């Protein structure tokens, strides 16, 4: 069923158990599987990113500081982070991990709980952070890029107390650009391979 959604070229879409959700710079909407509009909310988001898990919906503004969390269409919080957002991700419990730009550092990682309270923040030092993921147990995985001698990626996993759980060896000449958890397993997609960790 064709669905007319304004400014579709700047929109994000996700399929959920209750239908389809869509967001662009000015509108956040839900449609049934038959294409009927269920509800629509006004938003203001530049370069929107959206992710849905377990009824929680993360909407962040890539290249800006705004980050929002919804439960269905109910807004749980709308926060403005200190720095511009590079990427963000969500777990089933409504915890959000965001990678932001940070002056004097390559990047910063911030974890917010479902109430919008910062529970963890960490500066990456001299390494770029390409992506981040958070498990339901609040393990935070980071794809790090070392450009000192070519391009080599590695993954660091830590808990929200800052304790390192593991750090992989470097994957030479490889960019790991996508991390996601499936249960307790961490999956990584790179430009030349797919990797899974227990």
């Amino acid at each position: 069923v064709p669905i007319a959604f304004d400014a579709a070229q700047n929109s994000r879409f996700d399929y959920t158990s209750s239908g389809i959700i869509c967001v662009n710079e000015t509108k956040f909407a839900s449609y049934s599987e038959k294409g009927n509009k269920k509800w629509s909310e006004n938003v203001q988001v530049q370069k929107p990113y959206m992710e849905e898990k377990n009824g929680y919906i993360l909407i962040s503004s890539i290249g800006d500081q705004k980050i929002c969390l919804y439960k269905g269409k109910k807004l749980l919080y709308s926060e403005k982070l200190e720095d511009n957002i590079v990427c963000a991700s969500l777990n089933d419990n409504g915890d959000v991990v965001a990678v932001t730009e940070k002056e004097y550092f390559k990047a910063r990682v911030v974890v917010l709980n479902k109430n919008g309270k910062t529970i963890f923040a960490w500066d990456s030092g001299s390494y770029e952070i390409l992506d981040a993921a958070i498990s339901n147990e609040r393990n935070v995985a980071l794809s790090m890029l070392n450009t000192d001698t070519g391009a080599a990626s590695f993954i660091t996993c830590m808990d929200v107390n800052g304790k390192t759980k593991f750090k992989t060896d470097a994957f030479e000449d490889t960019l790991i650009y996508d991390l996601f958890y499936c249960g307790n397993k961490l999956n990584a997609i790179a430009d030349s391979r797919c990797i899974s960790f227990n």
Side-chain angles (χ1 to χ4, degrees):
V1 177
I3 298 172
F5 191 65
D6 295 338
Q9 70 273 14
N10 299 318
S11 302
R12 300 293 297 225
F13 303 88
D14 204 350
Y15 188 78
T16 72
S17 59
S18 60
I20 300 166
I21 51 175
C22 316
V23 67
N24 62 24
E25 290 97 333
T26 58
K27 190 194 312 183
F28 173 40
S30 175
Y31 295 86
S32 71
E33 291 183 353
K34 294 184 177 180
N36 299 317
K37 185 184 287 186
K38 296 166 69 175
W39 49 262
S40 179
E41 299 287 329
N42 293 328
V43 294
Q44 289 185 333
V45 185
Q46 296 179 13
K47 294 184 181 177
Y49 170 80
M50 179 176 60
E51 184 178 343
E52 188 273 347
K53 285 189 179 174
N54 197 32
Y56 290 101
I57 302 166
L58 164 68
I59 297 177
S60 62
S61 185
I62 304 303
D64 195 12
Q65 299 165 310
K66 187 173 184 179
I67 195 161
C68 307
L69 186 69
Y70 290 81
K71 184 72 171 177
K73 69 174 182 177
K74 179 184 177 183
L75 178 65
L76 299 181
Y77 68 79
S78 177
E79 294 289 335
K80 190 172 183 180
L81 302 183
E82 291 180 14
D83 305 289
N84 290 341
I85 298 166
V86 176
C87 61
S89 191
L90 174 70
N91 71 12
D92 289 346
N93 304 316
D95 298 315
V96 172
V97 58
V99 176
T100 67
E101 299 170 351
K102 182 67 177 175
E103 191 174 8
Y104 307 120
F105 295 94
K106 292 286 187 177
R108 183 174 219 217
V109 178
V110 179
V111 176
L112 308 171
N113 67 14
K114 65 182 179 181
N115 300 313
K117 180 181 176 184
T118 299
I119 57 173
F120 175 68
W122 181 77
D123 297 322
S124 69
S126 60
Y127 298 116
E128 298 273 2
I129 301 177
L130 301 181
D131 198 27
I134 183 166
S135 73
N136 293 341
E137 292 76 29
R138 288 183 165 172
N139 292 322
V140 177
L142 307 171
S143 169
M144 314 283 283
L145 177 64
N146 182 357
T147 57
D148 291 341
T149 56
S153 293
F154 63 94
I155 295 173
T156 296
C157 182
M158 59 184 74
D159 61 25
V160 291
N161 296 314
K163 180 182 177 183
T164 299
K165 305 201 86 167
F166 71 81
K167 178 179 174 181
T168 68
D169 294 330
F171 296 94
E172 299 292 339
D173 300 320
T174 300
L175 296 178
I176 299 173
Y177 58 85
D178 190 17
L179 295 175
F180 58 96
Y181 279 98
C182 291
N184 289 327
K185 289 187 178 179
L186 174 65
N187 298 288
I189 299 177
D191 54 357
S192 60
R193 69 189 83 187
C194 297
I195 314 158
S196 186
F197 303 92
N198 61 19

